[in-house]
Amino acid sequence: MKLAPIAITVYGRINHLERTIEALKRNTLAKESDLYLFSDAPKGGDEEKVMLLRKYLYTIKGFKKVYIIERNINGRVANGRGGIRQLLEQYGNIIYMEEDIVTAPGFLKFMNDALDYYKNSKDVLSVSGYTPPLSSLNSYHNDVYKLTRFNAWGFATWRDKFDPFGFDIDKHGVENYIKNSDFKEKFNQNGEDLYEMLMQEYNGNLDALDVKIMFYGFKYNKHTIYPRKSLVQNTGHDGSGTHCGVSNKFHHKELWGKVDKFKFIKDL
């Protein structure tokens, strides 16, 4: 099986990125995988921390090959979505992360195996490495489950299913849904925050790819595959991220230690 490339978008959080890279290097498939680092250009005042991070990028080893793409113009959206599209067009699939995603040693194996297993499943849009700390999973015994909620904290997808610039929300389309009295309740079944974020997108106050994809998934019944136990820890809930505040709500005491023989199911 040809391994998917790993893409990490970075900016200036060098301490987060160092933890992300060290954890990723401990993955069983790291030495066989290509790593792409998409470095966004600095905003005014951030030149020094971006320069320091870029200097660190050239010291990274432990992968089959490391590619560094330095942007000349600042643009978080263009850097992230542009990087995703580039690798999807080049490879046909991708494993994508940001600089604050710490992974378990079996993360790359899970993602690559899932990409292979679900590539022809029309209802599966993506694969998530993170899973939320849901109490209901304590008595769940399959290795995977699915939600119509997309998660961007370490995800994998395919070129023929995913265009990072193709999920824009049509206001007229949203209006047709919000006219229905039961839409809010149905949409929020995958998270009580979804309707509020959709309204922010609708009103032009938010430009978040994951929210756009969640609405797309709801409309067309597209799913994301999740591991029963999380293979990802998001370290960005310390106030350093763009959209995330300070919280330990999504923190896991430990990540899944499984590294092989993940069992996938089509009829979940």
Side-chain angles (χ1 to χ4, degrees):
M1 180 177 62
K2 188 175 182 181
L3 299 182
I6 309 160
I8 305 180
T9 50
V10 303
Y11 184 59
R13 294 182 293 173
I14 190 169
N15 292 332
H16 292 78
L17 180 61
E18 287 175 340
R19 281 179 282 173
T20 293
I21 294 297
E22 289 306 309
L24 195 60
K25 284 165 61 175
R26 291 192 290 271
N27 267 252
T28 58
L29 296 180
K31 292 182 180 180
E32 303 167 50
S33 302
D34 288 335
L35 175 64
Y36 285 77
L37 298 152
F38 293 91
S39 172
D40 198 5
K43 297 178 182 178
D46 288 344
E47 291 84 359
E48 184 176 354
K49 67 179 182 180
V50 170
M51 179 188 67
L52 288 173
L53 184 139
R54 286 183 171 179
K55 185 177 180 180
Y56 164 70
L57 296 183
Y58 289 92
T59 70
I60 294 174
K61 298 179 181 179
F63 302 90
K64 184 178 179 181
K65 196 164 184 179
V66 178
Y67 300 88
I68 300 168
I69 297 89
E70 297 184 3
R71 307 295 193 190
N72 297 319
I73 300 174
N74 175 264
R76 182 183 61 84
V77 170
N79 186 43
R81 297 178 201 176
I84 293 171
R85 173 178 276 183
Q86 175 185 329
L87 296 191
L88 283 176
E89 291 178 349
Q90 184 176 344
Y91 288 87
N93 55 25
I94 189 176
I95 298 171
Y96 173 81
M97 307 161 54
E98 293 187 349
E99 64 192 9
D100 56 5
I101 300 300
V102 171
T103 57
F107 169 77
L108 291 178
K109 177 65 173 172
F110 177 87
M111 302 301 265
N112 277 285
D113 286 358
L115 281 171
D116 186 57
Y117 188 87
Y118 292 104
K119 62 185 177 183
N120 296 321
S121 298
K122 293 183 179 180
D123 72 311
V124 176
L125 180 66
S126 66
V127 180
S128 174
Y130 175 83
T131 203
L134 302 173
S135 59
S136 56
L137 293 174
N138 294 333
S139 58
Y140 184 75
H141 301 296
N142 291 327
D143 281 358
V144 292
Y145 66 100
K146 67 180 182 179
L147 297 173
T148 55
R149 182 177 183 125
F150 171 79
N151 190 284
W153 298 349
F155 75 92
T157 190
W158 305 261
R159 176 176 54 205
D160 59 347
K161 300 182 182 186
F162 194 100
D163 178 358
F165 294 99
F167 296 105
D168 285 343
I169 290 177
D170 172 57
K171 286 198 171 187
H172 179 69
V174 173
E175 289 169 358
N176 288 336
Y177 278 90
I178 61 179
K179 288 176 183 177
N180 297 327
S181 58
D182 61 346
F183 168 66
K184 181 177 180 180
E185 180 181 356
K186 288 182 177 179
F187 192 53
N188 274 357
Q189 284 180 352
N190 277 296
E192 61 185 14
D193 56 338
L194 291 190
Y195 185 81
E196 179 182 345
M197 290 193 297
L198 179 63
M199 289 301 97
Q200 291 185 48
E201 282 275 351
Y202 172 76
N203 292 316
N205 298 321
L206 185 66
D207 183 10
L209 181 60
D210 53 352
V211 178
K212 301 177 196 294
I213 297 172
M214 289 175 204
F215 184 57
Y216 174 85
F218 177 85
K219 287 193 299 182
Y220 299 108
N221 197 32
K222 301 294 184 180
H223 296 93
T224 289
I225 301 296
Y226 287 78
R228 173 167 56 92
K229 295 182 180 181
S230 192
L231 294 161
V232 162
Q233 193 85 270
N234 187 324
T235 64
H237 289 96
D238 56 358
S240 66
T242 302
H243 290 140
C244 301
V246 178
S247 173
N248 62 0
K249 182 178 180 180
F250 306 103
H251 183 81
H252 290 277
K253 292 182 179 179
E254 61 180 11
L255 299 180
W256 202 2
K258 190 168 184 174
V259 296
D260 200 358
K261 298 181 180 179
F262 295 101
K263 295 180 180 179
F264 300 101
I265 304 170
K266 282 198 166 63
D267 296 324
L268 286 170

